[in-house]
Amino acid sequence: GLTVMFEIMKSYGHTFEKHWWHDLFRIVFRIFDNMKLPEQQTEKTEWMTTTCNHALYAVCDVFTQFYEPLSEILLEDIFTQLQWCVRQDNEQLARSGTNCLENLVILNGEKFSPEVWNVTCSCMLEIFQNTSPHALLTWRPAGQDEEAAEGKHFEADFDSQSQSSYDRALSERGHSQMSSDDTWKGKSNARVSDQRLFAGLLIKCVVQLELIQTVDNIVFYPATSKKEDADNMAAAQRDALEQSEAEGEESLPDQGMYRHMTSAHLFKLLDCLLESHNFAKEFNSNNEQRTALWRAGFKGKSKPNLLKQETSSLACSLRILFRMYSDPKLQDSWPDIQTRLLLVCTEALSYFIGLTSESHREAWNSLLMLLLTRTLRLPDDKFKPHASCYYPQLCEMMQFDLIPELRAVLRRFFLRIGSVFQIAAPEGAPARTPIS
């Protein structure tokens, strides 16, 4: 029925009156009525992953095909539905919500007015805030006796939706988010209520990662950032950073929405990303809380962490800031952008050199490559304040057992410092005669 209805819309929508669209979508949006099937959990889950999912993608397809007539009457309603989907304790529906949001913006963003961009960025801000797993930091274990008593009934009582959410999240991003080898199955002594909370929190962790990737894909276009990271590593392996500096961003096709967004829109997304980064950093630094969660069954082979969220949110923030910092249209804002960039990078480097875990430092490899490579590409007048600011931290970094690619970039960085600040003789110049 859904397929036929949406096919009719796609085939004959060009003949529809505006009020027809309005009435039609009032019916369509009732599909997402979360009051349906309130008692039958299994049926409701199945409905979410089939009917709801199908309708979501179809609505976005129709909206894209008939953007002009539909944008002013439907855009806010569509964003409301996407937000609702992302907030449900159903991982597939939450992923579909972020994917549809991404598709919607990438396919239609060129036509967005500044007002529509305002609505879009506000929608993303709300989703970020509503899906932040705050309870990871505030959760406290109940009494051990109570946990042990309830533990016997755990396997029978743990509802199938939460269990399937666990299982699905172990594949794909949820797995890489919390730990490289987590299995996160509940321990037999875990409280059922805690496990339900944990299952919901895991979905929120997955959604945060999806959102970070969504922002990156919208601003820069899918796969662009991944290609840049691979190119940075390859250039460092060849020790050919001069070429990559010369090529810079001009070699990348500019298919993302960056050029259609104002600095206010970009700063709003930046605030979302940095908030997500700071939350992940706070959680990863709270060893006591992570241990308590691990003991309560929120675990795999190692304690839970938000490493992927910590690094990917900061990487996307740096890409946005460096892009703005090299954008001639934003020249008047460069001093403010520079201040923000210096603060973010200094904090990042200070945090990195304070890490005590080798695996945690390894997770930062491509992030540090990005930070140092992008800084190296700056012209001398912009490179100077950055080099002055980061110099102490870069010296500290040398004491770690860094990967060869990072060592190659650090070497380039220090050589550049020598020439820019004129503390090294230029190549080919006669060496000074030492004073006897």
Side-chain angles (χ1 to χ4, degrees):
L2 275 180
T3 304
V4 172
M5 180 176 71
F6 282 110
E7 283 306 316
I8 290 169
M9 287 190 216
K10 289 175 186 177
S11 302
Y12 302 102
H14 61 282
T15 66
F16 288 8
E17 301 285 343
K18 258 188 185 174
H19 66 275
W20 294 3
W21 281 118
H22 199 271
D23 293 344
L24 186 56
F25 272 93
R26 278 176 62 196
I27 297 165
V28 170
F29 285 143
R30 288 179 63 188
I31 295 167
F32 301 97
D33 181 2
N34 62 327
M35 297 308 290
K36 289 181 184 177
L37 311 168
E39 303 304 323
Q40 298 156 299
Q41 190 62 47
T42 311
E43 259 185 71
K44 187 172 179 180
T45 304
E46 192 177 329
W47 163 76
M48 279 181 169
T49 54
T50 52
T51 308
C52 233
N53 221 24
H54 180 158
L56 198 61
Y57 282 98
V59 166
C60 292
D61 285 347
V62 170
F63 181 83
T64 298
Q65 188 174 335
F66 300 104
Y67 178 80
E68 301 305 335
L70 293 182
S71 57
E72 58 189 79
I73 56 172
L74 278 179
L75 188 68
E76 294 211 25
D77 287 338
I78 287 181
F79 280 155
T80 301
Q81 294 304 330
L82 292 175
Q83 282 179 279
W84 176 81
C85 291
V86 170
R87 285 201 305 270
Q88 301 313 299
D89 273 349
N90 180 289
E91 191 193 332
Q92 185 177 332
L93 194 60
R95 284 179 186 272
S96 297
T98 55
N99 291 344
C100 285
L101 177 64
E102 179 182 314
N103 293 342
L104 196 79
V105 179
I106 288 176
L107 293 171
N108 301 293
E110 291 181 5
K111 305 168 202 161
F112 283 8
S113 64
E115 292 72 32
V116 172
W117 274 114
N118 286 341
V119 173
T120 306
C121 293
S122 295
C123 171
M124 295 179 82
L125 173 67
E126 281 184 45
I127 298 177
F128 261 107
Q129 291 171 340
N130 290 332
T131 59
S132 183
H134 292 298
L136 283 179
L137 288 170
T138 57
W139 177 87
R140 293 289 176 270
Q144 295 297 316
D145 296 340
E146 183 188 346
E147 284 184 34
E150 287 193 346
K152 294 170 188 171
H153 307 292
F154 164 71
E155 292 299 336
D157 293 349
F158 187 25
D159 69 282
S160 59
Q161 184 189 346
S162 297
Q163 183 63 60
S164 61
S165 295
Y166 258 70
D167 294 339
R168 282 195 305 277
L170 294 176
S171 57
E172 307 176 50
R173 288 186 194 151
H175 182 110
S176 59
Q177 159 85 330
M178 297 310 287
S179 172
S180 57
D181 56 2
D182 269 351
T183 50
W184 268 42
K185 293 293 181 186
K187 283 164 67 176
S188 59
N189 69 339
R191 296 177 67 220
V192 174
S193 59
D194 282 344
Q195 288 305 325
R196 285 178 181 155
L197 171 72
F198 293 169
L201 285 173
L202 179 56
I203 292 171
K204 286 188 171 184
C205 294
V206 172
V207 171
Q208 284 281 303
L209 265 190
E210 292 281 342
L211 278 172
I212 292 162
Q213 192 60 58
T214 292
V215 172
D216 193 279
N217 289 349
I218 286 171
V219 178
F220 301 111
Y221 200 71
T224 304
S225 297
K226 194 175 280 188
K227 182 181 184 304
E228 185 195 359
D229 287 342
D231 290 348
N232 287 346
M233 279 289 182
Q237 284 163 2
R238 300 192 309 270
D239 199 14
L241 289 164
E242 295 92 341
Q243 289 95 305
S244 56
E245 282 168 49
E247 290 161 14
E249 287 162 7
E250 291 75 28
S251 61
L252 298 171
D254 192 12
Q255 296 170 284
M257 291 296 118
Y258 173 87
R259 64 193 188 279
H260 301 288
M261 301 170 77
T262 66
S263 53
H265 300 140
L266 292 164
F267 274 127
K268 186 173 267 193
L269 294 182
L270 200 61
D271 290 339
C272 296
L273 292 165
L274 290 172
E275 202 173 309
S276 184
H277 168 69
N278 288 328
F279 176 84
K281 211 162 62 165
E282 187 181 352
F283 179 73
N284 291 337
S285 302
N286 192 335
N287 198 45
E288 190 180 334
Q289 179 71 358
R290 288 169 57 221
T291 302
L293 285 163
W294 182 51
R295 286 178 176 159
F298 197 68
K299 61 153 276 185
K301 295 177 184 174
S302 58
K303 281 182 280 191
N305 65 65
L306 296 174
L307 279 185
K308 187 79 174 165
Q309 182 176 325
E310 176 185 288
T311 53
S312 60
S313 54
L314 183 56
C316 189
S317 302
L318 291 178
R319 289 184 218 278
I320 290 173
L321 281 168
F322 274 110
R323 179 70 178 271
M324 294 174 80
Y325 196 38
S326 61
D327 185 347
K329 296 197 295 293
L330 299 179
Q331 196 159 354
D332 292 344
S333 304
W334 281 354
D336 293 337
I337 296 166
Q338 176 175 290
T339 302
R340 186 104 187 232
L341 195 51
L342 289 171
L343 181 68
V344 170
C345 292
T346 306
E347 277 185 8
L349 291 169
S350 298
Y351 176 73
F352 174 78
I353 59 178
L355 296 176
T356 53
S357 157
E358 194 174 328
S359 59
H360 198 155
R361 285 199 298 270
E362 279 174 15
W364 274 60
N365 281 342
S366 64
L367 182 57
L368 291 173
M369 286 292 293
L370 174 71
L371 191 159
L372 296 174
T373 307
R374 284 295 190 97
T375 308
L376 268 173
R377 287 182 188 158
L378 296 173
D380 286 356
D381 61 319
K382 287 184 175 176
F383 177 80
K384 267 189 165 183
H386 287 266
S388 302
C389 208
Y390 314 150
Y391 187 79
Q393 286 96 337
L394 297 181
C395 291
E396 291 293 328
M397 270 174 66
M398 290 164 63
Q399 68 184 317
F400 298 121
D401 184 18
L402 302 171
I403 57 170
E405 293 86 351
L406 266 176
R407 291 205 300 270
V409 179
L410 264 180
R411 172 177 164 272
R412 288 277 169 206
F413 210 100
F414 282 111
L415 287 171
R416 176 97 182 267
I417 287 172
S419 64
V420 167
F421 288 90
Q422 299 177 329
I423 52 175
E427 282 184 39
R432 292 181 184 173
T433 309
I435 298 169
S436 54

